[in-house]
Amino acid sequence: MPIYLYRCADCGHSLEALQKMSDAKLTDCPECQAPALQKQITAAAFKLKGTGWYETDFKNSGKPAAAKAAGSEASSDTKSSSSAGPASAGAE
C-alpha cells in the first residue's frame, strides 16, 4: 500500500497516511478539524534488497539452470579428451 502525504490548507499541518489506491482521499485535518486537507505530490520511494541487479543476471534466461551446467561440463570434457587424444597417439 502506498503512503500518501497530506497538508492542511488552513493550519499547514502535514501528515502521512497509509492507504489503498482505491481508498477515498482524506479531507478533515486531525489538528484543526477543517475539511481542508490536500493530497501532496511526492516522489515514489522503494528499496531493492539483495545483492543487486546486473546486466548479466538475465542474459541466458531462456535456458534452464541444469542445462547450462551440463552444457559447460560437456564442453570442458570434450576439450580435455580432444587435447589428450593426439598427444597420446604421437607417443605410441
Side-chain angles (χ1 to χ4, degrees):
M1 281 195 296
I3 298 173
Y4 294 104
L5 181 64
Y6 288 91
R7 184 173 177 88
C8 180
D10 287 351
C11 69
H13 177 73
S14 62
L15 65 118
E16 293 179 343
L18 182 66
Q19 295 179 294
K20 292 181 182 178
M21 294 178 78
S22 60
D23 287 348
K25 294 179 183 179
L26 300 178
T27 55
D28 297 336
C29 177
E31 287 290 312
C32 67
Q33 278 65 38
L37 279 182
Q38 296 175 341
K39 191 185 279 189
Q40 303 293 301
I41 297 174
T42 58
F46 65 95
K47 292 182 183 180
L48 296 175
K49 292 186 178 184
T51 58
W53 298 86
Y54 299 98
E55 178 185 341
T56 58
D57 283 350
F58 301 104
K59 275 203 187 243
N60 298 323
S61 62
K63 297 179 183 177
K68 290 179 193 174
S72 63
E73 289 174 8
S75 64
S76 63
D77 289 342
T78 309
K79 290 178 186 175
S80 62
S81 64
S82 64
S83 62
S88 61
E92 289 180 15

